Amino acid sequence: MIVTTSMHPEWLSNAYLVADHAGGHAVIVDAGAPIEPLLVAADELGVHVTHVLLTHEHHDHTTHMVELQERFDAQLVLPDSLTDRFTISSGDLRLRALPTPGHCDPHVTWVVEDEDRVAIAAFTGDALFHGTVGGTLNGGVDGFEHLRESILQRILALPATTTLYPGHVDATTVAEELATNPFVRAWRGDNPFVAEHVSVAGNDATLLLEAADYDGGTKAWVRFADGREAVVGGSMLSRAGARA
């Protein structure tokens, strides 16, 4: 498998060209980054692009989807209504849709499987990143619970050696995220968490964990007064004036 990555300079969102081998077939996963590097790679590899696959439909992952679909006369596959039995084949590539809601719904992780149907790579969209996780405010009232389940019971249940290609910034592995991701470690009971009173966009909450995010800021796990939990951007936190 050959993976070529393009990243948007401001959004830091990734688009991927995934090929089985030179002269073979390929798919594109997500479409929000500049497409020129992917077009150059497809031409140099001499591959036939058969599908454009989306993990979710936020604008920083969809901008060029129609352009790519039309350029390659490819099949556009949206995440709506996909189940974990849905697969696509492109030459020697086999990809399975793994529903991973929480950041938003629908949201899928595209899992690349070998000939024995063992995962070797996964494109996680905005569910899981290197060292952090996706926000849940667009995931509905159960967004946090869905995201935690998607990460712990689906993505990180893949083989430890599985390479994870997230929707933003750097690739990682299942093993690395289990060992080092602060949110994953806290949710698994491996890390203690704090209990600090804060305000989130004017709403009283308890801060349980704040850790570095992929963009140089932070992400925070919070619990609101009604018991609802969420992952939010650290810029939404205010400590001054929070109820003690």
Side-chain angles (χ1 to χ4, degrees):
M1 183 180 72
I2 305 169
V3 178
T4 301
T5 307
S6 176
M7 186 172 70
H8 194 283
E10 296 177 5
W11 301 335
L12 306 181
S13 54
N14 294 324
Y16 299 97
L17 176 77
V18 188
D20 53 3
H21 51 78
H25 294 74
V27 302
I28 289 172
V29 181
D30 283 342
I35 64 173
E36 288 77 11
L38 307 184
L39 300 179
V40 169
D43 184 60
E44 291 180 346
L45 289 169
V47 291
H48 173 51
V49 177
T50 60
H51 297 76
V52 177
L53 311 176
L54 296 187
T55 59
H56 61 300
E57 295 184 60
H58 288 170
H59 74 280
D60 54 339
H61 298 267
T62 65
T63 305
H64 302 290
M65 63 180 186
V66 173
E67 181 181 356
L68 288 166
Q69 176 194 23
E70 293 178 346
R71 184 180 188 96
F72 292 109
D73 192 23
Q75 180 180 351
L76 177 62
V77 182
L78 305 178
D80 188 36
S81 301
L82 298 184
T83 70
D84 57 9
R85 294 185 179 183
F86 181 87
T87 62
I88 69 102
S89 294
S90 178
D92 294 333
L93 288 175
R94 173 187 166 90
L95 295 97
R96 174 169 60 93
L98 181 67
T100 48
H103 174 67
C104 61
D105 189 11
H107 184 290
V108 300
T109 289
W110 287 100
V111 180
V112 182
E113 298 178 328
D114 65 15
E115 61 272 12
D116 297 318
R117 298 194 176 182
V118 175
I120 58 174
F123 296 83
T124 60
D126 283 3
L128 179 66
F129 309 109
H130 184 195
T132 186
V133 299
T136 63
L137 292 182
N138 291 319
V141 294
D142 296 321
F144 175 79
E145 289 77 12
H146 287 162
L147 182 77
R148 181 164 57 182
E149 178 181 1
S150 292
I151 291 172
L152 297 183
Q153 299 183 27
R154 288 178 169 260
I155 297 172
L156 297 182
L158 297 172
T161 55
T162 306
T163 302
L164 305 178
Y165 294 95
H168 295 265
V169 193
D170 299 329
T172 182
T173 65
V174 167
E176 184 169 0
E177 296 313 300
L178 286 171
T180 66
N181 187 303
F183 293 94
V184 170
R185 289 179 57 80
W187 296 342
R188 285 164 52 93
D190 298 330
N191 267 5
F193 52 83
V194 300
E196 178 186 352
H197 289 289
V198 295
S199 175
V200 180
N203 298 302
D204 286 331
T206 299
L207 174 65
L208 302 176
L209 174 68
E210 186 175 14
D213 202 9
Y214 64 79
D215 61 358
T218 64
K219 280 265 177 61
W221 169 27
V222 299
R223 180 181 295 129
F224 294 103
D226 61 3
R228 180 173 56 92
E229 298 181 13
V231 175
V232 302
S235 62
M236 298 181 68
L237 298 181
S238 175
R239 290 171 170 85
R243 187 170 61 192

